[in-house]
Amino acid sequence: DTGVSQDPRHKITKRGQNVTFRCDPISEHNRLYWYRQTLGQGPEFLTYFQNEAQLEKSRLLSDRFSAERPKGSFSTLEIQRTEQGDSAMYLCASSRPGGFIDGYTFGSGTRLTVV
Amino acid sequence: KNEVEQSPQNLTAQEGEFITINCSYSVGISALHWLQQHPGGGIVSLFMLSSGKKKHGRLIATINIQEKHSSLHITASHPRDSAVYICAPRGFGNEKLTFGTGTRLTIIP
């Protein structure tokens, strides 16, 4: 296992288009997180899955955003009707059970630019 | 007031200097992460600690739960240590991290 993979690495889209990002966590990690990072800021929590269950969503996750983890493995984050303010780095992380003992593993992120 | 504050925001030092980055947080936590982020976005988890002190190579992290304060130290700093260092406490119950805005460290040869 080579770590947390995110695809694509970069995405440029026109305002109003829909985009979907994918995250493949480390296989034995049952927890998966999405964060968003805008320029010059630290990452902000978006949502969190334990297996296939989405347990928490941030208020930052407007109704244009939806995340799924259908089989408890990979996850997708979809943004509908993109706006320029959605331009950011979208980071995925995963952790194993008993997560308070282990650290997180982050993916390299998907950089979204909405033009 | 931000829940997580780091200082300094920017730090430039000469190669070999001892580096200290501070983190203060305002809420109860179950653990705290120190993360390193290089240009281009990749984040690496350096430490997770809930008490005391941890050491890994030239890096040392300490935490004082009662004072809600943590520090990251780098000994014998090197230009390859240049990166943004982020403090991220983890809450009780849920597993999400709350991130500081980071400290941009530049080590000059």
Side-chain angles (χ1 to χ4, degrees):
Chain A
D1 201 338
T2 56
V4 178
S5 299
Q6 289 189 247
D7 183 69
R9 290 293 304 275
H10 303 275
K11 178 71 176 179
I12 299 174
T13 191
K14 290 184 178 179
R15 190 173 53 188
Q17 297 294 306
N18 298 344
V19 293
T20 300
F21 310 141
R22 176 177 170 127
C23 172
D24 286 87
I26 292 174
S27 56
E28 64 265 27
H29 286 188
N30 72 337
R31 294 190 174 99
L32 185 147
Y33 315 82
W34 286 99
Y35 294 91
R36 180 174 69 185
Q37 185 175 26
T38 53
L39 203 61
Q41 301 296 315
E44 297 172 295
F45 171 79
L46 292 179
T47 190
Y48 152 54
F49 290 86
Q50 182 161 305
N51 300 313
E52 66 275 11
Q54 187 173 21
L55 296 187
E56 189 169 345
K57 289 172 60 173
S58 164
R59 286 171 294 175
L60 294 173
L61 217 63
S62 76
D63 57 6
R64 296 185 297 106
F65 288 71
S66 62
E68 294 183 341
R69 194 183 183 198
K71 297 181 180 179
S73 56
F74 73 91
S75 175
T76 58
L77 177 68
E78 181 182 16
I79 309 173
Q80 296 182 327
R81 305 181 303 282
T82 51
E83 301 173 357
Q84 286 189 321
D86 298 331
S87 295
M89 175 75 84
Y90 290 83
L91 293 162
C92 177
S94 69
S95 70
R96 67 173 75 204
F100 67 91
I101 298 174
D102 291 285
Y104 277 41
T105 303
F106 284 85
S108 298
T110 293
R111 184 172 295 282
L112 173 66
T113 303
V114 182
V115 297
Chain B
K1 187 179 190 300
N2 292 331
E3 289 184 0
V4 185
E5 294 195 344
Q6 286 186 235
S7 63
Q9 291 188 348
N10 293 282
L11 178 57
T12 300
Q14 294 286 332
E15 182 174 355
E17 285 190 40
F18 181 81
I19 303 299
T20 295
I21 299 170
N22 294 302
C23 173
S24 296
Y25 52 92
S26 58
V27 296
I29 66 169
S30 61
L32 183 142
H33 292 254
W34 279 101
L35 308 167
Q36 180 191 58
Q37 186 170 31
H38 284 285
I43 292 181
V44 175
S45 180
L46 300 174
F47 293 103
M48 188 193 72
L49 63 166
S50 56
S51 65
K53 175 181 174 178
K54 284 191 176 180
K55 185 175 188 293
H56 185 254
R58 295 180 295 106
L59 302 178
I60 303 166
T62 63
I63 190 167
N64 185 317
I65 295 292
Q66 288 73 30
E67 294 186 3
K68 294 186 170 62
H69 181 269
S70 177
S71 293
L72 177 69
H73 306 283
I74 305 175
T75 62
S77 59
H78 190 277
R80 64 175 175 267
D81 298 327
S82 298
V84 175
Y85 292 84
I86 303 172
C87 161
R90 179 191 288 189
F92 287 106
N94 61 47
E95 300 295 323
K96 69 181 182 184
L97 303 182
T98 302
F99 293 79
T101 52
T103 295
R104 183 174 298 278
L105 174 65
T106 303
I107 303 297
I108 299 172

